[in-house]
Amino acid sequence: MENRIKELTSNAELLIANASDLNAINEVRVRFLGKSGELTAVLKGMRDVPVEQKPMIGKIVNEARDIITAMVEDKLAALTASSINSKLQSESIDITLSSKKCKKGGLHPCSIVVNEILNIFTNLGFQVKQGPEVETDFFNFQALNIPLDHPAREMQDTFYITDDLLLRTHTSPVQARTMMDSQPPIRIVNPGKVYRPDDDATHSPMFQQIEGLVVDKGITLCDLKGILETFAKTLFNEKTKTRLRPSFFPFTEPSVEVDVTCAVCGGKGCRICKGTGWIEILGAGIINPKVLDNCGIDSTIYSGFAFGFGIERITMIKYGVPDMRILFDNDNRFLKQFN
Ligand code: DAH
């Protein structure tokens, strides 16, 4: 009996040592320690052992069971640890690999220019105000001293919706709306989309404008020139010069067109300024007293100036864009250059 147990123990030891995975060690455990295992069978045979030998044999069997159990548990722990380790290794993540680039959106160059311009004017104390794109004939034309059937309407070809409703042709109606619901001092800029049935390299049926308006006591053309000079120097560069040329708009008297020295050649003359060194950027003037009166502001007490310009045009000048349609194509190769 004693020898059998010794043999069994050393058999178990060998099998445990050779068990190479969790299945194998479990098989060994069942083979020796399971309900119908080899050591269990020896324990069952104890009833045939003579009484005087029982304590001694019993001790040997128990010791053998403890030894085999301990060996199985050690091996089980070792195999579990190595399976976890190999899993960790095979499933490891290489954190030194560079990640996939995430594509970021950016602002359209016109939006960049609008933001810059609004920044300049708000720093000068102007408030930003917006108005409707579907406008009445009254605010788009009549309040601005362009009566029905007046030839001045031909300056701005118009998309009509009904006889009285239209897509605004300029942001100037916002000055009429503002003057009708507030009293001076007024200092506002109005950005927004405007519409005219034109479509070529320098015109688009939808484009953006910013209108500016100042109304107070004693406002003159000098104030207008000062504000526009500051604006041009900040938007383009410190060396930019400004010049006013006489012009005509029904809503201003006198009216001017404003040129700046070409931002591309600095005034020497180039393709962008067609060799003149100057580029026209906006229309402006002293508000026609008729417009002030139309809008409920006493023209014997107050005066003001107004100006309006196209954002696409300024964007083209600022970035040297040769054709306005590029601004509307939304080709990523073009847009990416601004962000
Ligand atoms: N509204 C004019 C246009 O769209 C631009 C303009 C000229 C606005 C003179 C003004 C101004 O406020 O005083 O062509």
Side-chain angles (χ1 to χ4, degrees):
M1 187 80 164
E2 210 184 323
N3 284 343
R4 248 205 86 201
I5 295 169
K6 273 193 185 148
E7 192 189 317
L8 201 144
T9 310
S10 62
N11 264 350
E13 193 176 3
L14 194 72
L15 288 171
I16 291 168
N18 287 338
S20 58
D21 59 27
L22 291 171
N23 274 343
I25 190 71
N26 260 327
E27 269 171 29
V28 176
R29 189 177 54 80
V30 172
R31 174 166 166 187
F32 291 93
L33 304 169
K35 255 190 199 157
S36 33
E38 291 181 23
L39 197 66
T40 320
V42 172
L43 273 168
K44 277 178 189 158
M46 281 291 287
R47 66 179 102 91
D48 303 328
V49 172
V51 183
E52 65 278 9
Q53 285 185 23
K54 267 193 182 158
M56 194 261 289
I57 301 289
K59 200 177 158 229
I60 297 174
V61 175
N62 280 338
E63 273 172 8
R65 195 195 47 210
D66 289 347
I67 289 170
I68 297 176
T69 306
M71 287 192 303
V72 166
E73 273 171 8
D74 284 354
K75 185 74 181 196
L76 208 62
L79 286 174
T80 309
S82 82
S83 108
I84 289 175
N85 279 342
S86 70
K87 233 181 170 182
L88 278 176
Q89 255 174 17
S90 66
E91 291 174 8
S92 75
I93 300 166
D94 183 355
I95 55 162
T96 63
L97 269 181
S98 50
S99 61
K100 275 192 188 154
K101 283 236 167 70
C102 115
K103 285 183 190 155
K104 268 198 298 180
L107 288 179
H108 188 278
C110 287
S111 303
I112 296 173
V113 168
V114 170
N115 289 346
E116 259 181 61
I117 292 174
L118 293 183
N119 239 336
I120 296 172
F121 283 108
T122 49
N123 282 342
L124 290 168
F126 285 68
Q127 283 184 324
V128 178
K129 231 187 138 200
Q130 286 182 302
E133 287 171 31
V134 174
E135 195 44 286
T136 60
D137 189 279
F138 175 78
F139 283 114
N140 196 79
F141 290 126
Q142 296 166 50
L144 297 168
N145 195 34
I146 312 174
L148 282 165
D149 304 323
H150 192 276
R153 291 199 178 211
E154 278 167 27
M155 289 168 81
Q156 300 185 2
D157 215 354
T158 308
F159 288 114
Y160 278 94
I161 296 167
T162 65
D163 281 349
D164 187 43
L165 276 183
L166 45 83
L167 293 181
R168 67 178 177 188
T169 55
H170 49 178
T171 41
S172 306
V174 190
Q175 49 160 293
R177 286 181 173 274
T178 307
M179 288 191 284
M180 284 182 100
D181 60 35
S182 49
Q183 281 296 307
I186 297 171
R187 240 184 267 127
I188 52 159
V189 273
N190 325 119
K193 297 189 186 95
V194 302
Y195 302 85
R196 291 181 204 177
D198 302 320
D199 199 2
D200 58 41
T202 50
H203 296 90
S204 155
M206 186 284 290
F207 60 106
Q208 301 180 68
Q209 282 191 336
I210 292 187
E211 177 84 7
L213 174 74
V214 170
V215 187
D216 206 344
K217 286 179 183 154
I219 298 290
T220 70
L221 211 57
C222 292
D223 301 307
L224 171 66
K225 188 156 198 271
I227 288 282
L228 292 179
E229 253 177 33
T230 307
F231 160 68
K233 281 188 196 302
T234 318
L235 184 67
F236 298 111
N237 61 60
E238 200 34 49
K239 291 196 184 121
T240 307
K241 290 198 187 77
T242 311
R243 97 183 161 185
L244 307 188
R245 278 182 293 108
S247 182
F248 170 78
F249 298 104
F251 25 93
T252 43
E253 184 57 39
S255 302
V256 293
E257 242 147 14
V258 179
D259 300 338
V260 291
T261 43
C262 177
V264 176
C265 63
K268 289 191 201 85
C270 69
R271 200 171 48 87
I272 299 286
C273 59
K274 299 194 180 84
T276 63
W278 291 94
I279 294 186
E280 181 200 320
I281 58 162
L282 57 86
I286 291 298
I287 303 172
N288 192 319
K290 280 191 199 153
V291 173
L292 290 177
D293 292 335
N294 283 349
C295 298
I297 289 181
D298 189 341
S299 62
T300 62
I301 303 177
Y302 295 106
S303 60
F305 66 74
F307 56 87
F309 52 85
I311 295 301
E312 284 76 7
R313 186 164 162 72
I314 300 273
T315 307
M316 289 168 76
I317 296 166
K318 192 169 159 76
Y319 296 116
V321 180
D323 188 315
M324 189 182 283
R325 289 168 290 205
I326 297 173
L327 294 174
F328 294 94
D329 285 344
N330 283 335
D331 185 326
N332 234 343
R333 288 166 300 179
F334 171 72
L335 296 177
K336 268 199 290 204
Q337 301 173 52
F338 300 89
N339 291 289

